[in-house]
Amino acid sequence: MIRIPFIWTLTISFLFGTNAWAQRSEIWREQPGTQLLNIGVGTTRYLGDLNERDNLAHLQLGFALNAAFAYRYSPQLTLRAEAQLYYVRGSQEDTHLSYNHLSFWSLNPDIWAGLQWDFWKAADRNHVVIPYALAGVGVTYITPKTSYKGQTVSLAPLQTEGVDYNRFPFILRYGIGIPVFATERFKWHLEGTYTHVLSDYLDDVSTVYPDRDKMTPLAAALSDRRLELNQLPNVAGAKRGNASKRDGYFALSARMIFLLSTSSQRNYRRMFGG
C-alpha cells in the first residue's frame, strides 16, 4: 500500500477544494434580489480603560454569537441587519495599573443595520474569491459586572464614578470579510469587525475617582479596590480612566450563509403557487 505523506495529503485536498470552490462559484453567484440568512460564532477582544492594547499576552478574549438577514440589492451592494450576543472582559491584573485592581465582564446584546460592499461584482469571472467591506450603525445594552467577595455584582446601578450613565449607547460597526467555501445553497466566510461604542462606560470606567464618603459602602468598595490589596485609597478626583477614548471591541467570526431565496424563485412561486 502506498503511503502519502500527510503534508501532501493536505496540499492535494486544498488544491482540489479550491478548484471545487471555483467551479461552485461559477455555478452560483448571488444575483440582485437574493435573500440570505447569516449565522456566525467567533471570539471577541475588548479595548478600553482596563486593557493594554499592545500587550498580546493579556488579550482577555471573549465570544460572540450572531445572526443576520441580508438582501442582495445590486451586483456589489448587500443590505444587512444583524443581532448579536457578545461577551467581553477586562482586568488591570498583570498591567501597569494592577495596583488599582479594577476588573469587569459583560454579556451584552447588540443590533445593527448597514451595508456590505463587494470589492468586485459577482459576475466578474476574473476573481474567484470576492472579499467585502461592511459598515453600519446600531445600539447595544451594556451590563458591566465584577466579582466581589465571591459574589457577582452589577456595577452600573452602583454609579461607581458618581455617574448615572446611559446603558443603551449607539454603536458604529465596520469590518471586512472573505468567502472561504461555497456550495449551491451555503457559503462559509471569515469576518473581522470592530465595534466603536459611543460611550466610555462599557467597562464601567471612564473619568476620575469620586468622593467615597458620599457613596454606599458597596459602591465605595467597588469604585476603588486598592483597599483589597492593603493599599491606601485614591483621593477624590484622581484619574480612574481615560475619558478621551471611547470603548469598543473586536470580533473575529466564522459565518455560515444560507441562501433563502432568489427573485426568480419568488417570481416562480407567485406565478405557479409553489
Side-chain angles (χ1 to χ4, degrees), residues 1-266:
M1 181 176 179
I2 300 175
R3 294 181 177 274
I4 301 175
F6 180 68
I7 187 64
W8 286 108
T9 302
L10 287 179
T11 303
I12 292 170
S13 299
F14 174 77
L15 291 175
F16 277 98
T18 302
N19 184 57
W21 196 101
Q23 292 175 354
R24 289 287 190 180
S25 65
E26 288 294 317
I27 294 171
W28 178 63
R29 290 181 180 242
E30 294 172 20
Q31 300 299 320
T34 301
Q35 297 178 355
L36 306 114
L37 177 65
N38 184 326
I39 299 173
V41 59
T43 186
T44 61
R45 187 195 180 200
Y46 141 84
L47 289 181
D49 300 276
L50 299 186
N51 81 335
E52 293 181 326
R53 300 183 181 224
D54 299 327
N55 187 351
L56 297 182
H58 197 60
L59 290 178
Q60 305 179 108
L61 300 178
F63 66 85
L65 303 172
N66 38 60
F69 174 79
Y71 177 80
R72 170 73 70 168
Y73 181 76
S74 74
Q76 284 182 271
L77 178 63
T78 298
L79 308 179
R80 179 165 154 182
E82 181 170 329
Q84 178 173 253
L85 184 68
Y86 65 96
Y87 174 80
V88 289
R89 61 192 178 99
S91 171
Q92 291 178 329
E93 184 178 0
D94 298 326
T95 73
H96 73 287
L97 295 174
S98 59
Y99 53 82
N100 280 329
H101 197 48
L102 298 175
S103 65
F104 92 104
W105 70 80
S106 195
L107 180 63
N108 304 328
D110 69 34
I111 56 173
W112 72 281
L115 307 176
Q116 181 176 308
W117 181 260
D118 292 348
F119 289 177
W120 300 286
K121 293 182 179 180
D124 188 344
R125 297 299 192 266
N126 294 322
H127 299 92
V128 174
V129 178
I130 302 178
Y132 57 89
L134 61 93
V137 298
V139 66
T140 187
Y141 178 59
I142 56 178
T143 61
K145 297 177 175 65
T146 194
S147 179
Y148 182 64
K149 295 184 177 181
Q151 301 293 321
T152 297
V153 180
S154 182
L155 291 168
L158 298 177
Q159 299 183 24
T160 56
E161 291 187 1
V163 177
D164 183 16
Y165 53 80
N166 177 23
R167 298 182 68 183
F168 286 93
F170 287 105
I171 59 173
L172 304 176
R173 178 163 297 160
Y174 42 88
I176 57 174
I178 185 169
V180 177
F181 186 77
T183 68
E184 292 183 4
R185 298 288 292 184
F186 291 93
K187 294 195 298 180
W188 286 263
H189 290 187
L190 283 178
E191 192 171 283
T193 62
Y194 180 72
T195 302
H196 181 71
V197 182
L198 299 184
S199 169
D200 194 36
Y201 281 103
L202 177 66
D203 49 19
D204 195 64
V205 177
S206 179
T207 57
V208 298
Y209 286 92
D211 185 348
R212 299 172 69 252
D213 294 334
K214 298 180 180 179
M215 310 176 76
T216 66
L218 180 60
L222 293 178
S223 174
D224 189 344
R225 305 190 67 171
R226 287 164 62 100
L227 291 175
E228 297 174 45
L229 302 179
N230 297 317
Q231 298 186 57
L232 293 175
N234 290 279
V235 298
K239 185 175 181 180
R240 190 170 188 259
N242 183 2
S244 65
K245 292 184 179 180
R246 303 290 176 89
D247 298 328
Y249 48 95
F250 286 104
L252 178 64
S253 60
R255 320 282 301 202
M256 183 185 74
I257 295 92
F258 174 65
L259 187 151
L260 295 174
S261 68
T262 65
S263 57
S264 59
Q265 289 172 338
R266 293 193 295 275

